[in-house]
Amino acid sequence: MKLFEFERHFPDEESCRNRFRDLRLKQGVVCPKCGCTHHYWKSDKGMFQCKECGHRQSLRYGTVMQGSKLPFRYWFIAMHLLTATKHTFSAAELQRQLGHNRYQPIWEMVHKIRSVMGQRDSEYMLTYSVELDEGFFTVGTPRKEEKMVQGSKERKATVLVMAESIEVEKPKPNMKKKKVGHLKMIVIPDTKKSTITEKAVDIIP
Ligand SMILES: [Zn+2]
């Protein structure tokens, strides 16, 4: 879906909410109390009500959005950006785009979406303990406008290297006790502590 189509389909909170309700109905709403699969939609409360026992559940109950107070439209936008584009969207970037004042809920949303999407590769979240390092990689001869790394004639990119450090089960006496799991490398603008923290926080759960 292109951005303009997205805008047309989901212009506001209500359209996103309705779409989400329809998706849940299509999937089948199950009562957590009695297992009944027939529900009324209480539009005034924004809840499903079990036809059998009367138990009510919120629209977000049992979904990726459960526990989140963010608008439905935030979730739709985030899912759109994370699925429709080939780019990696950091939580910080998304927070900026949405103009939301708090980072934490946006970060949680992005990570939940990523985990349900089961993304790997560039989206892969590193688990276990993670070891950070930085390195400089030669990426060609410098362009005029680019800053060069001190004392270097070549153009370098600063790369943050993050490696999963996994304990080896029952290591043999001459073996190392840890092994490297997934590796992730991203280009960073500088090696300031704040930059590294910001980038690392987006990847490490
Ligand atoms: Zn019920």
Side-chain angles (χ1 to χ4, degrees):
M1 193 189 281
K2 303 251 168 53
L3 198 56
F4 285 117
E5 287 172 66
F6 179 86
E7 271 295 322
R8 205 173 61 234
H9 286 288
F10 306 111
D12 51 24
E13 179 68 359
E14 198 192 352
S15 53
C16 295
R17 226 161 140 265
N18 290 342
R19 175 73 176 139
F20 194 68
R21 180 201 62 209
D22 294 346
L23 282 171
R24 279 208 62 192
L25 284 169
K26 204 173 149 195
Q27 211 176 40
V29 180
V30 182
C31 175
K33 278 264 161 68
C34 72
C36 175
T37 52
H38 300 285
H39 288 78
Y40 301 107
W41 169 246
K42 309 283 283 180
S43 57
D44 54 330
K45 302 259 188 315
M47 293 178 117
F48 293 110
Q49 184 171 326
C50 175
K51 284 186 180 177
E52 195 64 43
C53 74
H55 178 80
R56 286 178 186 169
Q57 60 175 285
S58 74
L59 190 48
R60 299 179 192 228
Y61 178 84
T63 73
V64 67
M65 297 185 199
Q66 186 175 340
S68 169
K69 291 188 176 71
L70 295 177
F72 283 95
R73 194 153 191 263
Y74 274 28
W75 285 86
F76 275 58
I77 291 169
M79 283 188 257
H80 177 69
L81 290 174
L82 289 166
T83 55
T85 72
K86 288 198 173 73
H87 301 287
T88 303
F89 269 82
S90 70
E93 174 64 15
L94 196 62
Q95 183 198 8
R96 228 179 353 259
Q97 295 282 343
L98 291 167
H100 195 71
N101 56 355
R102 289 186 59 222
Y103 178 71
Q104 184 68 22
I106 304 294
W107 182 86
E108 285 172 11
M109 173 173 73
V110 168
H111 282 260
K112 274 185 190 156
I113 294 171
R114 281 182 186 158
S115 72
V116 295
M117 282 163 56
Q119 289 188 344
R120 295 181 76 85
D121 300 321
S122 67
E123 304 288 358
Y124 188 79
M125 283 191 292
L126 302 169
T127 48
Y128 305 100
S129 61
V130 175
E131 294 181 4
L132 301 174
D133 204 351
E134 48 166 273
F136 294 97
F137 286 68
T138 305
V139 290
T141 46
R143 294 191 205 110
K144 254 187 209 159
E145 68 275 15
E146 288 187 49
K147 270 199 289 181
M148 282 190 294
V149 176
Q150 284 178 334
S152 165
K153 286 200 176 96
E154 283 161 329
R155 201 168 131 231
K156 305 264 188 180
T158 308
V159 178
L160 179 64
V161 183
M162 286 165 279
E164 265 179 335
S165 171
I166 304 169
E167 299 273 358
V168 176
E169 282 180 20
K170 295 178 196 156
K172 294 195 178 95
N174 57 349
M175 265 173 73
K176 289 191 172 148
K177 290 201 172 62
K178 284 181 174 179
K179 64 176 180 180
V180 173
H182 286 90
L183 272 179
K184 188 172 169 81
M185 291 190 264
I186 48 172
V187 177
I188 51 175
D190 55 60
T191 54
K192 285 185 198 138
K193 196 180 163 196
S194 57
T195 307
I196 291 174
T197 307
E198 188 201 320
K199 296 287 179 189
V201 117
D202 260 345
I203 293 146
I204 303 163

